[in-house]
């Protein structure tokens, strides 16, 4: 073929999503598949969202409001920020992409942990920028190491808290000490996709910090605790000037009518958010207890997923679990012996524990 892509694009991998429940049903002939691979909300979304969506059906032929004004107002009210501090995207993936578009060029660098959400590096590379990967320390962000990696070329530092896939957090004290030393020309993108699940008192309130640090932008999503992954809606909260720059590269209609209507209903139903947070804490506690009983080491988990060390390659454990109808995530570059498991419903968590216990027993018998 004569058509050539840009050199940068030619080298990029295509994002590999985990197996879907349908894939496993088809390939393994299993009816009852439990998917704990994508950190989705096992309870779905608020009923209020469903009502809001019904009202939108009659407006399918109309473009959405590109500026998401009503959604902006609803989120601003809930978070107690100004509307001009918010930017919405088709998932926080889109906000990450827009940050890279707005702030990174071919001579720039961004800094991220070496085992974290891959889209930071991926989108930075598309802009031609280099991403310096700083090794995690015991699964946690090494903020000293990240500070040391900052150069004149650094434009963005990515911090993921809770970190996907390790589940660890950066505490308020650590974040403040870090922000105090980050040069003001560097934007710190704090990805808080799982913040609503965190129960640890040392976790920062990033919105308070944004007032003091105009170079801090927090990223959030409706895909996790709000249970709206399919609608693609995420947002950034930051200083109005940072938000304006991101807005300049936004596609005209990057969030749909459905997503906007759902987002308003979801953010206003805080009772449902609290309910999901509580159920998640119970499920996480159960998984932690069971892992201890099975003598499996775990990372300190703070979101709706847990990283578990297994006595074999994570990919091997993944295959064995899939053959029992349980889908998890494995194949982490720096954690080859680990799996990442989403906290599911009580029944899903039970099914996972039963399956892994059986695999571990079979493995002992084989020895
Ligand atoms: C840390 C983190 N950030 C961002 C995202 C992207 O979420 P979405 O684009 O669905 O908002 C995910 C999805 O799993 C994630 O784990």
């Amino acid at each position: 073929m004569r058509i050539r892509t840009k050199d940068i694009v030619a080298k990029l991998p295509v994002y590999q999503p985990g197996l879907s429940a349908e894939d496993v049903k088809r390939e393994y002939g299993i009816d009852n598949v439990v998917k704990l691979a994508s950190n989705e909300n096992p309870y779905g979304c608020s009923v209020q969202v469903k009502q809001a969506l019904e009202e939108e059906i009659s407006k399918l032929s109309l473009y959405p409001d590109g500026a998401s004004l009503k959604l902006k107002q609803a989120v601003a009210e809930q978070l107690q920020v100004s509307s001009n501090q918010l930017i919405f995207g088709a998932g926080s993936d889109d906000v990450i992409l827009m940050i890279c578009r707005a702030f990174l060029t071919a001579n720039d660098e961004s800094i991220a942990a070496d085992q974290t959400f891959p889209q930071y590096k991926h989108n930075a590379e598309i802009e031609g920028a280099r991403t310096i990967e700083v090794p995690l320390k015991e699964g946690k962000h090494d903020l000293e190491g990240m500070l040391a990696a900052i150069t004149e070329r650094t434009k963005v530092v990515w911090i993921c808290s809770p970190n996907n896939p390790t589940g660890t957090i950066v505490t308020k004290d650590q974040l403040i000490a870090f922000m105090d030393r980050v040069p003001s020309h560097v934007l710190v993108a704090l990805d808080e996709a799982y913040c609503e699940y965190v129960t640890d008192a040392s976790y920062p309130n990033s919105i308070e910090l944004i007032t003091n640090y105009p170079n801090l932008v927090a990223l959030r999503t409706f895909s996790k605790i709000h249970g709206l992954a399919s609608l693609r809606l995420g947002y950034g909260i930051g200083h109005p000037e940072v938000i304006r720059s991101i807005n300049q590269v936004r596609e005209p209609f990057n969030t749909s009518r459905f997503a906007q209507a759902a987002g308003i209903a979801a953010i206003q139903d805080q009772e449902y958010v609290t309910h999901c947070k509580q159920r998640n804490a119970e499920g996480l506690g159960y998984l932690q207890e069971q892992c201890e009983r099975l003598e499996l080491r775990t990372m300190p988990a703070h979101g709706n997923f847990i990283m578990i060390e297994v006595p074999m390659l994570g990919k091997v454990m993944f295959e064995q679990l899939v053959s029992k109808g349980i889908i998890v995530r494995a194949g982490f570059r720096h954690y080859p012996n680990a799996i990442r498991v989403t906290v599911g419903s009580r029944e899903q968590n039970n099914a996972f524990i039963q399956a892994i216990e059986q695999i571990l027993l079979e493995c002992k018998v084989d020895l």
Side-chain angles (χ1 to χ4, degrees):
M1 194 172 73
R2 289 244 174 100
I3 305 165
R4 280 195 55 202
T5 53
K6 295 191 275 188
D7 288 347
I8 282 164
V9 174
K11 283 187 256 159
L12 285 178
V14 174
Y15 181 78
Q16 296 296 331
L19 281 180
S20 72
E22 286 67 32
D23 294 335
V24 174
K25 276 183 197 166
R26 199 177 46 246
E27 284 173 32
Y28 294 80
I30 299 171
D31 279 338
N32 198 10
V33 175
V34 173
K35 183 171 174 240
L36 300 174
S38 304
N39 304 339
E40 292 151 332
N41 186 333
Y43 312 109
C45 65
S46 150
V47 281
Q48 322 257 2
V49 165
K50 293 177 189 165
Q51 284 164 10
L53 290 179
E54 273 169 28
E55 286 169 28
E56 284 304 314
I57 289 184
S58 60
K59 302 177 197 147
L60 279 178
S61 58
L62 305 176
Y63 279 103
D65 167 18
S68 324
L69 265 187
K70 284 188 185 154
L71 172 62
K72 225 176 248 178
Q73 278 162 3
V75 174
E77 195 171 312
Q78 177 58 39
L79 302 182
Q80 294 292 296
V81 296
S82 310
S83 288
N84 62 1
Q85 289 185 271
L86 295 171
I87 177 91
F88 289 88
S92 42
D93 280 343
D94 189 28
V95 185
I96 295 167
L97 179 151
M98 290 190 281
I99 288 175
C100 293
R101 266 205 164 171
F103 296 100
L104 295 176
T105 64
N107 291 320
D108 296 333
E109 290 175 355
S110 88
I111 298 174
D114 65 343
Q115 188 75 72
T116 189
F117 190 56
Q119 293 309 100
Y120 317 136
K121 185 178 177 199
H122 177 80
N123 283 293
E125 274 180 352
I126 293 173
E127 301 305 326
R130 207 175 134 222
T131 294
I132 314 298
E133 296 181 277
V134 177
L136 292 174
K137 273 194 174 162
E138 292 168 18
K140 296 183 188 151
H141 277 69
D142 172 13
L143 296 182
E144 283 299 321
M146 292 178 114
L147 277 172
I150 293 177
T151 68
E152 299 248 300
R153 294 186 167 197
T154 310
K155 291 283 161 55
V156 182
V157 178
W158 307 95
I159 297 179
C160 186
S161 176
N163 184 43
N164 181 1
T166 55
T168 54
I169 55 169
V170 168
T171 67
K172 178 177 177 181
D173 291 349
Q174 289 164 346
L175 186 62
I176 290 177
F178 175 76
M179 289 305 303
D180 280 340
R181 291 162 66 197
V182 171
S184 56
H185 73 271
V186 174
L187 181 71
V188 176
L190 179 66
D191 187 342
E192 300 188 312
Y194 303 96
C195 65
E196 296 92 346
Y197 288 109
V198 180
T199 55
D200 192 304
S202 69
Y203 190 68
N205 176 344
S206 57
I207 291 161
E208 278 171 18
L209 297 184
I210 282 163
T211 320
N212 292 339
Y213 302 102
N215 57 334
L216 179 65
V217 61
L219 315 183
R220 298 198 178 171
T221 181
F222 282 87
S223 299
K224 306 299 174 181
I225 207 156
H226 296 290
L228 293 173
S230 72
L231 286 181
R232 314 304 302 127
L233 185 64
Y235 58 103
I237 317 157
H239 188 276
E241 272 179 38
V242 171
I243 296 299
R244 187 160 44 90
S245 303
I246 303 173
N247 201 22
Q248 280 167 313
V249 300
R250 185 177 56 74
E251 294 288 333
F253 303 105
N254 65 332
T255 60
S256 70
R257 271 185 175 276
F258 279 127
Q260 292 179 21
I264 294 170
I267 203 85
Q268 289 174 343
D269 191 354
Q270 287 297 312
E271 222 176 284
Y272 185 68
V273 172
T274 306
H275 168 79
C276 293
K277 179 176 181 171
Q278 280 165 357
R279 300 282 307 265
N280 183 70
E282 287 159 17
L284 184 56
Y286 168 77
L287 290 177
Q288 281 164 331
E289 269 166 31
Q290 295 299 313
C291 286
E292 211 175 306
R293 177 177 69 78
L294 298 172
E295 296 176 359
L296 294 169
R297 285 185 1 145
T298 57
M299 282 281 174
H302 294 275
N304 68 340
F305 57 92
I306 182 165
M307 187 178 239
I308 305 174
E309 200 182 301
V310 290
M312 58 184 80
L313 276 179
K315 281 190 170 170
V316 174
M317 176 57 90
F318 166 87
E319 288 296 339
Q320 300 216 22
L321 283 166
V322 167
S323 70
K324 294 184 189 306
I326 313 281
I327 317 175
V328 299
R329 200 82 192 203
F332 301 107
R333 198 162 35 121
H334 298 286
Y335 297 87
N337 288 78
I339 56 172
R340 190 198 70 196
V341 183
T342 303
V343 179
S345 65
R346 191 175 296 185
E347 300 73 42
Q348 291 175 323
N349 297 336
N350 267 330
F352 163 70
I353 292 295
Q354 274 182 23
I356 197 167
E357 185 163 14
Q358 205 182 337
I359 294 165
L360 294 171
L361 273 176
E362 283 162 11
C363 170
K364 277 197 185 134
V365 171
D366 283 350
L367 282 177

